[in-house]
Amino acid sequence: MEERDNNVKIHVSNLKKSFDKLEVLKDINIDINEGEVVVVIGPSGSGKSTFLRCLNRLEHLTSGKVVIDGYDISDEKININKVREHIGMVFQHFNLFNNLNVMGNMILAPTELKKSTKEEAKTRAMALLDRVGLADKAEYFPEQLSGGQKQRVAIARALAMSPDIMLFDEPTSALDPEMVGEVLAVMKKLASEGMTMVVVTHEIGFAREVASRVVFMDDGYIVEEGTPDEVINNPQNQRTIDFLSKVL
């Protein structure tokens, strides 16, 4: 483990990521503190999702360093699965197992990874489903749920591993507009409870209301970052101004 500032949960320095000759992340540097909600915005193709996937090494880093809770995950020798146990990830398309009911989805990782017995996992799963308003859907299969319900189950499933950090990759972009609110409400509650969160989203309203920091990415770089007021209401960089003029 590395020496680190106790408050820094995620340290990223000189991160670069290429797919063959395509350079997607060009030089990313950021520190994210415990309890911060960092919302990453920017145009499609700017590298936002790739950046997020590098934070739990779903993408291998081309160069640079990512340190999570003191563990340097850019080091190939690190047990990445152990580090991932502390990082919840919520995807755009839910990624639920369709052959398992909601409860089966919830208890799979905690029991497989020997974090808890089946009974303990079920008790915790029910508490988490209750928290996201879906305690009555434990026996349902994913195909019986709406998009918003699936995404709330996906969030509860990620929380079942008691993560320290939650990563959200455009969690509302596959949802019908009327279902977006129910998912954002769960995320707002998590943020209010002090969860460290990194959220890639197009929901500027959510960024304005919940983010401790907004990061604007374009063309593989962090172009601008600051409080929601600074970045959304008073952007300084022309690229940020142009982007926001199209989405606000």
Side-chain angles (χ1 to χ4, degrees):
M1 285 185 65
E2 302 225 330
E3 283 298 307
R4 66 191 180 105
D5 176 335
N6 282 341
N7 273 343
V8 176
K9 276 299 221 193
I10 301 171
H11 167 73
V12 180
S13 57
N14 307 116
L15 170 62
K16 295 182 180 176
K17 173 64 187 175
S18 299
F19 296 96
D20 296 325
K21 292 201 170 99
L22 178 65
E23 209 181 3
V24 177
L25 299 178
K26 295 175 180 170
D27 190 21
I28 301 290
N29 297 280
I30 190 170
D31 279 346
I32 295 170
N33 294 322
E34 189 162 358
E36 257 199 300
V37 179
V38 174
V39 175
V40 184
I41 62 171
S44 296
S46 57
K48 306 184 300 293
S49 289
T50 301
F51 164 61
L52 200 71
R53 292 169 67 85
C54 285
L55 296 183
N56 62 358
R57 221 173 73 192
L58 284 177
E59 300 292 355
H60 274 270
L61 323 180
T62 301
S63 64
K65 194 179 236 189
V66 174
V67 181
I68 304 282
D69 256 344
Y71 292 95
D72 181 358
I73 67 167
S74 24
D75 178 355
E76 290 295 326
K77 296 191 286 292
I78 201 105
N79 181 345
I80 189 63
N81 289 325
K82 271 293 191 223
V83 180
R84 281 190 190 133
E85 285 179 15
H86 304 285
I87 308 171
M89 178 105 184
V90 177
F91 299 89
Q92 185 174 351
H93 293 292
F94 328 125
N95 290 22
L96 297 175
F97 295 105
N98 289 322
N99 59 325
L100 296 175
N101 66 12
V102 166
M103 180 56 75
N105 269 281
M106 291 288 296
I107 68 171
L108 183 67
T111 52
E112 288 280 315
L113 294 166
K114 309 272 190 292
K115 282 269 185 173
S116 49
T117 66
K118 207 165 191 179
E119 286 316 306
E120 288 166 349
K122 281 188 167 174
T123 302
R124 177 154 171 76
M126 280 310 294
L128 287 167
L129 288 171
D130 188 45
R131 189 166 157 189
V132 299
L134 293 171
D136 59 333
K137 300 285 191 270
E139 301 304 318
Y140 282 52
F141 281 81
E143 66 193 29
Q144 297 171 286
L145 302 175
S146 71
Q149 289 170 334
K150 285 182 199 171
Q151 195 59 294
R152 284 187 282 154
V153 170
I155 294 171
R157 179 180 65 173
L159 291 173
M161 288 294 289
S162 304
D164 298 322
I165 295 165
M166 287 283 283
L167 307 177
F168 293 87
D169 189 9
E170 301 201 15
T172 59
S173 61
L175 300 178
D176 292 333
E178 67 268 24
M179 290 171 190
V180 169
E182 65 192 56
V183 173
L184 293 181
V186 172
M187 291 169 64
K188 284 175 190 171
K189 189 163 188 298
L190 259 187
S192 72
E193 292 163 1
M195 176 66 77
T196 307
M197 294 164 60
V198 186
V199 185
V200 170
T201 186
H202 293 293
E203 299 289 338
I204 303 297
F206 174 81
R208 194 178 255 144
E209 192 180 334
V210 181
S212 26
R213 194 166 11 147
V214 175
V215 171
F216 174 72
M217 283 182 69
D218 191 25
D219 195 30
Y221 293 101
I222 290 176
V223 174
E224 191 164 349
E225 63 176 300
T227 64
D229 187 53
E230 288 165 344
V231 176
I232 297 170
N233 298 339
N234 303 288
Q236 302 302 305
N237 187 288
Q238 192 56 48
R239 282 191 282 178
T240 320
I241 294 166
D242 292 345
F243 172 76
L244 288 167
S245 72
K246 295 186 181 85
V247 298
L248 287 178

